[in-house]
Amino acid sequence: RLRLDQGDLSGSHHLLQAGRHQVSVAGEPPYLMGLLAAADADLHTARGDLATSRRALAEAVDAGAQPAGPLAVSLARIHLRSGDPHAVGSLLAARTDRDDDSWPLPARLAAGLLDAQAARQLGDRRRSAYLLEQVLALAAPEGYRRVFTRADPAARDLLAAHLDTGTAHWPLVNDLIAGGSLPGPAGEARPGLGEPLTEREMTVLRYLQSILSNVEIANEMSMSVNTVKTHVRNIYRKLDATRRRDAVRRARDLHLL
């Protein structure tokens, strides 16, 4: 999966097949069969070969593979990639419920994030925001981040939009976006940006995505309101913006956020 995250699909495939060959000598236990089948399906999905992904999952289920959670998440990922968000919601309903621990936590987090993406595609922004908030509530106490940082661009866009709607987990979402969007070293000039933002201006810019006032941003950053206002003015000037929303939109267009 690390190779897959890095875009090395052939390397990931080689390691996966070698691992399956090694454990097949002694016979794959159902639990391991399910995890390997899910990884195999995700690899084919990343390649765009959805037919092979479906076939791999079907063969694993027929062979008695377990657990259901990772297999269902892989199938939901196929549904989402093939443009069937209704199927995602039906497959993953209520998996972010705090009282439902029948699936491993990583699978529940991935399920909730996929379900939130599906709801967004269906135009149900309220349900999408609710599901994403549930996922964040489950992830925060255990420190889980990989499900967000290794998600596809659509999921990261969903997180960015969630800042605008308001969240009880604002620091976590802000950190995830800052770490997952890979904006590059502070002070690096970008195409279309004449003067680079400083590291402190980048921090203020990330706060501008939220609903926090300048006073609240000053409190979060332990600086004076006047200093925050100075940073905001510099951000507006460098991004050629006149208000917060325009600055955030411009920054996203430049992949600063």
Side-chain angles (χ1 to χ4, degrees):
R1 288 191 178 277
L2 289 173
R3 291 289 184 94
L4 180 59
D5 290 343
Q6 296 164 359
D8 183 4
L9 274 62
S10 61
S12 177
H13 177 75
H14 174 75
L15 289 172
L16 181 61
Q17 295 307 314
R20 297 190 78 163
H21 174 72
Q22 290 174 7
V23 298
S24 66
V25 175
E28 296 181 15
Y31 187 87
L32 186 55
M33 286 174 59
L35 295 179
L36 291 171
D40 192 27
D42 288 343
L43 177 58
H44 289 296
T45 299
R47 285 174 162 170
D49 189 355
L50 303 184
T52 301
S53 295
R54 292 180 189 274
R55 185 165 59 251
L57 291 178
E59 290 174 354
V61 171
D62 290 343
Q66 299 173 0
L71 292 172
V73 167
S74 294
L75 181 57
R77 196 170 281 117
I78 295 171
H79 289 323
L80 199 63
R81 180 70 70 89
S82 62
D84 190 1
H86 286 287
V88 175
S90 300
L91 183 63
L92 302 179
R95 285 304 174 182
T96 55
D97 190 324
R98 289 177 184 242
D99 296 327
D100 181 5
D101 58 358
S102 58
W103 285 9
L105 182 56
R108 294 167 65 196
L109 295 174
L113 188 57
L114 289 169
D115 202 0
Q117 289 179 253
R120 184 66 176 248
Q121 286 189 15
L122 292 170
D124 192 345
R125 296 188 173 223
R126 178 172 294 185
R127 173 172 167 75
S128 177
Y130 170 77
L131 288 168
L132 187 53
E133 195 73 356
Q134 290 290 94
V135 172
L136 291 166
L138 285 172
E142 303 295 336
Y144 274 91
R145 288 172 175 256
R146 186 182 185 280
V147 67
F148 305 106
T149 58
R150 295 302 185 224
D152 58 26
R156 293 195 291 272
D157 290 343
L158 190 65
L159 279 171
H162 197 56
L163 280 178
D164 295 334
T165 61
T167 171
H169 305 280
W170 193 91
L172 172 59
V173 178
N174 183 62
D175 287 345
L176 288 170
I177 293 173
S181 59
L182 303 178
E188 179 183 342
R190 301 306 180 99
L193 185 62
E195 184 179 354
L197 299 178
T198 67
E199 182 176 351
R200 187 56 61 90
E201 288 167 355
M202 280 296 304
T203 302
V204 173
L205 175 61
R206 294 182 188 116
Y207 277 107
L208 292 182
Q209 299 175 101
S210 72
I211 60 174
L212 297 180
S213 66
N214 286 344
V215 173
E216 291 169 322
I217 293 174
N219 289 335
E220 290 287 333
M221 296 185 65
S222 300
M223 62 175 57
S224 71
V225 178
N226 287 335
T227 300
V228 170
K229 289 180 179 179
T230 298
H231 287 314
V232 170
R233 284 196 300 270
N234 289 337
I235 290 169
Y236 286 0
R237 175 176 56 80
K238 293 178 180 181
L239 294 178
D240 192 22
T242 57
R243 57 181 181 172
R244 176 184 289 209
R245 180 171 296 181
D246 293 337
V248 170
R249 184 181 299 111
R250 172 73 169 153
R252 289 175 180 167
D253 289 342
L254 293 171
H255 304 293
L256 295 172
L257 294 173

